[in-house]
PDB file of all heavy atoms in Angstrom:
ATOM      1  N   THR A  23     -14.054  -1.770 -17.765  1.00  0.00           N
ATOM      2  CA  THR A  23     -15.016  -1.451 -18.688  1.00  0.00           C
ATOM      3  C   THR A  23     -15.436  -0.021 -18.606  1.00  0.00           C
ATOM      4  O   THR A  23     -15.516   0.710 -19.523  1.00  0.00           O
ATOM      5  CB  THR A  23     -16.327  -2.367 -18.521  1.00  0.00           C
ATOM      6  OG1 THR A  23     -15.805  -3.708 -18.546  1.00  0.00           O
ATOM      7  CG2 THR A  23     -17.213  -2.049 -19.488  1.00  0.00           C
ATOM      8  N   LEU A  30     -15.742   9.897 -19.446  1.00  0.00           N
ATOM      9  CA  LEU A  30     -16.108   9.554 -18.051  1.00  0.00           C
ATOM     10  C   LEU A  30     -16.346  10.826 -17.133  1.00  0.00           C
ATOM     11  O   LEU A  30     -15.936  10.910 -16.096  1.00  0.00           O
ATOM     12  CB  LEU A  30     -14.953   8.793 -17.370  1.00  0.00           C
ATOM     13  CG  LEU A  30     -14.895   7.329 -17.920  1.00  0.00           C
ATOM     14  CD1 LEU A  30     -13.626   6.702 -17.312  1.00  0.00           C
ATOM     15  CD2 LEU A  30     -16.100   6.521 -17.533  1.00  0.00           C
ATOM     16  N   GLY A  38      -5.856  28.568 -18.673  1.00  0.00           N
ATOM     17  CA  GLY A  38      -6.243  29.890 -18.200  1.00  0.00           C
ATOM     18  C   GLY A  38      -7.550  30.098 -17.829  1.00  0.00           C
ATOM     19  O   GLY A  38      -8.004  31.114 -17.330  1.00  0.00           O
ATOM     20  N   THR A  65     -17.812  -3.468  18.197  1.00  0.00           N
ATOM     21  CA  THR A  65     -18.090  -4.738  18.829  1.00  0.00           C
ATOM     22  C   THR A  65     -18.437  -4.551  20.224  1.00  0.00           C
ATOM     23  O   THR A  65     -17.864  -3.567  20.891  1.00  0.00           O
ATOM     24  CB  THR A  65     -16.861  -5.712  18.564  1.00  0.00           C
ATOM     25  OG1 THR A  65     -15.800  -5.256  19.349  1.00  0.00           O
ATOM     26  CG2 THR A  65     -16.540  -5.904  17.153  1.00  0.00           C
ATOM     27  N   ALA A  73     -20.412   9.174  17.355  1.00  0.00           N
ATOM     28  CA  ALA A  73     -20.334  10.418  18.040  1.00  0.00           C
ATOM     29  C   ALA A  73     -18.944  11.073  18.075  1.00  0.00           C
ATOM     30  O   ALA A  73     -18.702  12.285  18.020  1.00  0.00           O
ATOM     31  CB  ALA A  73     -20.871  10.300  19.449  1.00  0.00           C
ATOM     32  N   ALA A  83     -18.135   0.096  26.951  1.00  0.00           N
ATOM     33  CA  ALA A  83     -18.336  -0.451  28.236  1.00  0.00           C
ATOM     34  C   ALA A  83     -18.086  -1.923  28.161  1.00  0.00           C
ATOM     35  O   ALA A  83     -18.709  -2.645  27.339  1.00  0.00           O
ATOM     36  CB  ALA A  83     -19.795  -0.158  28.666  1.00  0.00           C
ATOM     37  N   ASP A 148      -7.755   7.439  33.080  1.00  0.00           N
ATOM     38  CA  ASP A 148      -8.319   7.733  34.443  1.00  0.00           C
ATOM     39  C   ASP A 148      -8.958   9.084  34.377  1.00  0.00           C
ATOM     40  O   ASP A 148      -8.290  10.009  34.683  1.00  0.00           O
ATOM     41  CB  ASP A 148      -7.183   7.561  35.564  1.00  0.00           C
ATOM     42  CG  ASP A 148      -7.804   7.503  36.880  1.00  0.00           C
ATOM     43  OD1 ASP A 148      -9.097   7.574  37.042  1.00  0.00           O
ATOM     44  OD2 ASP A 148      -7.090   7.469  37.879  1.00  0.00           O
ATOM     45  N   THR A 191       9.339  17.916   4.450  1.00  0.00           N
ATOM     46  CA  THR A 191       9.789  19.268   4.020  1.00  0.00           C
ATOM     47  C   THR A 191       8.742  20.040   3.240  1.00  0.00           C
ATOM     48  O   THR A 191       8.988  21.203   2.861  1.00  0.00           O
ATOM     49  CB  THR A 191      11.112  19.220   3.227  1.00  0.00           C
ATOM     50  OG1 THR A 191      10.816  18.418   2.068  1.00  0.00           O
ATOM     51  CG2 THR A 191      12.225  18.530   4.053  1.00  0.00           C
ATOM     52  N   ASP A 194       2.747  22.379   2.781  1.00  0.00           N
ATOM     53  CA  ASP A 194       1.406  21.898   2.399  1.00  0.00           C
ATOM     54  C   ASP A 194       1.491  20.657   1.635  1.00  0.00           C
ATOM     55  O   ASP A 194       1.828  20.826   0.463  1.00  0.00           O
ATOM     56  CB  ASP A 194       0.633  23.008   1.788  1.00  0.00           C
ATOM     57  CG  ASP A 194      -0.780  22.530   1.375  1.00  0.00           C
ATOM     58  OD1 ASP A 194      -1.119  21.355   1.551  1.00  0.00           O
ATOM     59  OD2 ASP A 194      -1.548  23.431   0.993  1.00  0.00           O
ATOM     60  N   PRO A 265      17.691   0.174  -2.937  1.00  0.00           N
ATOM     61  CA  PRO A 265      18.088   0.761  -4.240  1.00  0.00           C
ATOM     62  C   PRO A 265      17.199   0.374  -5.418  1.00  0.00           C
ATOM     63  O   PRO A 265      16.943   1.199  -6.387  1.00  0.00           O
ATOM     64  CB  PRO A 265      19.535   0.358  -4.462  1.00  0.00           C
ATOM     65  CG  PRO A 265      19.981   0.176  -2.993  1.00  0.00           C
ATOM     66  CD  PRO A 265      18.876  -0.410  -2.321  1.00  0.00           C
ATOM     67  N   GLY A 266      16.776  -0.898  -5.479  1.00  0.00           N
ATOM     68  CA  GLY A 266      15.855  -1.288  -6.523  1.00  0.00           C
ATOM     69  C   GLY A 266      14.624  -0.494  -6.710  1.00  0.00           C
ATOM     70  O   GLY A 266      14.238  -0.042  -7.741  1.00  0.00           O
ATOM     71  N   LEU A 319      23.602  -2.494  -8.988  1.00  0.00           N
ATOM     72  CA  LEU A 319      23.510  -1.833 -10.329  1.00  0.00           C
ATOM     73  C   LEU A 319      22.374  -0.846 -10.343  1.00  0.00           C
ATOM     74  O   LEU A 319      22.464   0.232 -11.012  1.00  0.00           O
ATOM     75  CB  LEU A 319      23.230  -2.878 -11.391  1.00  0.00           C
ATOM     76  CG  LEU A 319      24.514  -3.629 -11.847  1.00  0.00           C
ATOM     77  CD1 LEU A 319      24.089  -5.010 -12.509  1.00  0.00           C
ATOM     78  CD2 LEU A 319      25.402  -2.772 -12.772  1.00  0.00           C
ATOM     79  N   ALA A 499       7.464   3.160 -24.311  1.00  0.00           N
ATOM     80  CA  ALA A 499       8.809   3.281 -24.865  1.00  0.00           C
ATOM     81  C   ALA A 499       8.830   2.564 -26.265  1.00  0.00           C
ATOM     82  O   ALA A 499       9.508   2.973 -27.134  1.00  0.00           O
ATOM     83  CB  ALA A 499       9.820   2.737 -23.977  1.00  0.00           C
ATOM     84  N   ASP A 540      -6.233 -17.718  -6.011  1.00  0.00           N
ATOM     85  CA  ASP A 540      -5.481 -18.305  -4.924  1.00  0.00           C
ATOM     86  C   ASP A 540      -6.329 -18.281  -3.670  1.00  0.00           C
ATOM     87  O   ASP A 540      -5.875 -18.868  -2.639  1.00  0.00           O
ATOM     88  CB  ASP A 540      -4.184 -17.524  -4.668  1.00  0.00           C
ATOM     89  CG  ASP A 540      -3.146 -17.764  -5.837  1.00  0.00           C
ATOM     90  OD1 ASP A 540      -3.351 -18.853  -6.500  1.00  0.00           O
ATOM     91  OD2 ASP A 540      -2.271 -16.979  -5.929  1.00  0.00           O
ATOM     92  N   THR A 632       0.517  11.434 -36.049  1.00  0.00           N
ATOM     93  CA  THR A 632      -0.111  11.384 -37.349  1.00  0.00           C
ATOM     94  C   THR A 632      -1.355  10.426 -37.314  1.00  0.00           C
ATOM     95  O   THR A 632      -2.221  10.606 -38.247  1.00  0.00           O
ATOM     96  CB  THR A 632       0.795  10.867 -38.375  1.00  0.00           C
ATOM     97  OG1 THR A 632       1.122   9.490 -38.235  1.00  0.00           O
ATOM     98  CG2 THR A 632       2.107  11.630 -38.446  1.00  0.00           C
ATOM     99  N   LEU A 645       2.013  27.314 -41.313  1.00  0.00           N
ATOM    100  CA  LEU A 645       2.271  26.003 -41.799  1.00  0.00           C
ATOM    101  C   LEU A 645       3.732  25.641 -41.786  1.00  0.00           C
ATOM    102  O   LEU A 645       4.531  26.363 -42.330  1.00  0.00           O
ATOM    103  CB  LEU A 645       1.765  25.872 -43.264  1.00  0.00           C
ATOM    104  CG  LEU A 645       1.812  24.421 -43.910  1.00  0.00           C
ATOM    105  CD1 LEU A 645       0.784  23.440 -43.252  1.00  0.00           C
ATOM    106  CD2 LEU A 645       1.614  24.532 -45.399  1.00  0.00           C
TER     107      LEU A 645
END
Side-chain angles (χ1 to χ4, degrees):
T23 302
L30 291 173
T65 65
D148 190 1
T191 60
D194 178 350
L319 286 159
D540 290 341
T632 67
L645 186 68

